[in-house]
Amino acid sequence: MNFSDNHVWLKEENGNVLNPYKLLPPVFENWTEDEIINTLSEVEGIADGGAALTTYSKMQYTDMTQAEIDELSKALFKYCELDTLAMVMVYEHFKELVYA
């Protein structure tokens, strides 16, 4: 079975399911090196809860450009989408166990 046919976030390579958090794109993917050097957040990627919390906190208390805030917001939404999917999958698994 190819997981990527049924789930957007699940990818398979050589018969192994890849960690979807490692597939998240870098925060400033399309920015130039000069633009990245001038960011205040110092965030490269958001692939765990600690990074997400830190990023959100920095957005609240740092004077960032709107462009940087927008990129960080997009990255947080992608991370949260993946976390929400994981929670739904756990719920569906438990539901299957209970009602099977």
Side-chain angles (χ1 to χ4, degrees):
M1 172 182 180
N2 186 350
F3 288 104
S4 61
D5 291 342
N6 300 318
H7 302 286
V8 173
W9 282 107
L10 295 178
K11 304 281 185 216
E12 188 179 85
E13 185 176 280
N14 299 326
N16 296 315
V17 176
L18 301 175
N19 181 341
Y21 291 95
K22 292 185 179 183
L23 300 175
L24 290 169
V27 175
F28 302 105
E29 186 174 37
N30 297 316
W31 285 37
T32 66
E33 188 67 33
D34 287 339
E35 290 173 318
I36 293 171
I37 288 171
N38 292 320
T39 62
L40 296 176
S41 63
E42 300 176 348
V43 174
E44 293 179 13
I46 302 171
D48 60 65
L53 182 61
T54 300
T55 300
Y56 183 75
S57 296
K58 286 182 177 188
M59 289 171 60
Q60 303 306 304
Y61 302 105
T62 307
D63 292 326
M64 293 181 193
T65 65
Q66 189 60 48
E68 185 173 0
I69 290 170
D70 291 346
E71 290 299 314
L72 293 170
S73 295
K74 282 192 269 182
L76 282 169
F77 280 126
K78 288 178 184 178
Y79 172 79
C80 289
E81 176 185 353
L82 191 52
D83 258 13
T84 302
L85 175 62
M87 288 186 276
V88 169
M89 292 173 79
V90 168
Y91 169 78
E92 288 177 348
H93 176 71
F94 285 150
K95 186 176 165 185
E96 227 175 84
L97 291 175
V98 171
Y99 297 110

